[in-house]
Amino acid sequence: MKTLLVTGGCGFIGSNFVRQQLQTYPDVSIVNVDKLTYAGNLENLADIENDPRYRFERGDICDREFIDGVLDSAAIDSVVNFAAESHVDRSILDSGPFIQTNIVGTQVLLDASRKANISRYLQVSTDEVYGTLGEDGYFTEDTPLAPNSPYSASKTAADLLVRSYFHTYGFPAVTTRCSNNYGPYQFPEKLIPLFISNALKDEALPVYGKGNNVRDWIHVLDHCRGIDAALRNGEPGEVYNFGGNSELQNLELTFKLLDALGKPRTLIRHVEDRAGHDFRYAIDTTRVEHELGWKPQMDFETGLRSTIDWYLSNKDWAERIQSGQYRDYYETQYGKRLA
Ligand code: NAD
Ligand code: TYD
């Protein structure tokens, strides 16, 4: 039996990872630590809440006493750190929470995990630590770190702490860096769920600048399979990049979304560009293909269709999370009010 401590398991990628682990491995049990910020929704895991192999603990990864207590309360083998402030636009408005959770939180988890002698720590990071690409080329694991936003700078700082703990203490840490995820349970502030949600209400889709920035899209379950492969078979001290081999300009993607929803292109509004907007992200996945036997399985057209269908079937989920009503769910389940 393997027991994982997953942080940020009530967010988009973390909740998909928790579900996938429990479904794939009958011998895995999970403790999920989440602060339930605006982005964390307990309802994302309502279907597995009563699984005896799953336990939720509300708390902050920056709180050392709390994290020590969680690590003491179960025989944790591995820690997978998803918990983060994750939205670039919010980091431009206020970098404070990003520095706190993404950097200080990682340091607390590293120290507590080292003390608890865990056998594997996985830091979930992002390709945004590499900065931006021009029209050509790809990020590899050897691309120099050159973050451009407060979000990516905070993730880079955390990655460097992880690296230093491996080199200084021989701490068994692995880092994964992934391109833009899409799929079910993504908070409707990121491009795909925001545009679906706005289009369904016939509201404008705010495209930053000309809309020619390029992102590489990967289905969240492909990313989760990659994290799983790195957790089980990655080498301590190493970095593994994951990408979907699905590059699209934002405007091309917006057209696809509108066409799939049967909505007019007149909903598009070109708005002021994001400050410091990275032009293009794209990943060379050679290393993970050779060393972890990983390839993305979901082709983008199929993944996008199933994602749109999920948001169509879960309109009330999006409404509840946008209005903060999901907090009532926590109160019902745990009898406590969220601060
Ligand atoms: P998300 O914003 O949907 O979820 C983050 C979760 O962390 C939420 O449940 C939130 O409540 C929790 N959290 C925040 N601060 C916390 C704290 N101090 N203590 C405990 N819990 C806290 O984010 P996501 O999109 O699921 O991203 C998860 C991870 O993957 C992040 O580390 C992010 O940097 C990384 N990542 C995301 C993408 C992407 O496309 N979304 C791509 C590459 C890497
Ligand atoms: P986002 O989903 O915020 O992810 P990231 O910034 O981490 O790549 O944005 C994806 C792309 O879409 C990015 O180039 C910014 C752009 N974008 C818009 O044009 N309008 C929007 O309202 C949002 C949220 C993003």
Side-chain angles (χ1 to χ4, degrees), residues 164-177:
S164 77
Y165 275 57
F166 169 74
H167 283 278
T168 308
Y169 307 113
F171 181 68
V174 169
T175 301
T176 59
R177 297 183 180 139

Side-chain angles (χ1 to χ4, degrees), residues 66-84:
F66 164 71
I67 295 294
D68 278 343
V70 173
L71 284 164
D72 283 347
S73 71
I76 306 281
D77 306 288
S78 309
V79 174
V80 185
N81 182 24
F82 290 93

Side-chain angles (χ1 to χ4, degrees), residues 50-244:
N50 296 320
D51 188 321
R53 294 180 295 137
Y54 172 77
R55 179 158 64 91
F56 171 68
E57 292 278 354
R58 182 169 183 237
D60 190 331
I61 59 164
C62 302
D63 180 344
R64 176 67 191 267
E65 213 176 305
F66 164 71
I67 295 294
D68 278 343
V70 173
L71 284 164
D72 283 347
S73 71
I76 306 281
D77 306 288
S78 309
V79 174
V80 185
N81 182 24
F82 290 93
E85 289 294 334
S86 67
H87 190 39
V88 173
D89 293 326
R90 285 178 188 259
S91 80
I92 294 168
L93 291 173
D94 179 9
S95 62
F98 289 74
I99 306 306
Q100 188 60 23
T101 287
N102 299 1
I103 306 178
V104 176
T106 298
Q107 176 245 320
V108 167
L109 275 179
L110 289 169
D111 283 338
S113 304
R114 205 163 77 77
K115 181 175 146 250
N117 238 340
I118 60 151
S119 55
R120 180 57 62 97
Y121 175 98
L122 190 140
Q123 178 74 3
V124 181
S125 187
T126 166
D127 62 352
E128 300 189 27
V129 298
Y130 299 120
T132 188
L133 292 165
E135 298 284 352
D136 304 315
Y138 295 90
F139 295 136
T140 73
E141 287 79 359
D142 297 323
T143 302
L145 302 175
N148 290 320
S149 71
Y151 162 68
S152 54
S154 68
K155 294 295 289 184
T156 307
D159 286 13
L160 291 176
L161 277 174
V162 172
R163 180 181 193 276
S164 77
Y165 275 57
F166 169 74
H167 283 278
T168 308
Y169 307 113
F171 181 68
V174 169
T175 301
T176 59
R177 297 183 180 139
C178 188
S179 62
N180 286 61
N181 286 222
Y182 70 97
Y185 301 102
Q186 186 168 29
F187 190 86
E189 65 182 352
K190 307 281 166 56
L191 181 82
I192 289 183
L194 177 72
F195 281 15
I196 295 173
S197 159
N198 283 13
L200 289 177
K201 291 182 275 187
D202 294 312
E203 288 175 3
L205 311 190
V207 170
Y208 298 160
K210 291 190 187 126
N212 61 350
N213 298 65
V214 176
R215 294 293 181 265
D216 165 43
W217 294 95
I218 180 172
H219 192 273
V220 63
L221 292 178
D222 274 332
H223 182 196
C224 292
R225 283 193 307 104
I227 291 170
D228 179 56
L231 182 67
R232 287 167 181 267
N233 303 317
E235 286 292 322
E238 294 298 340
V239 172
Y240 298 96
N241 288 352
F242 297 99

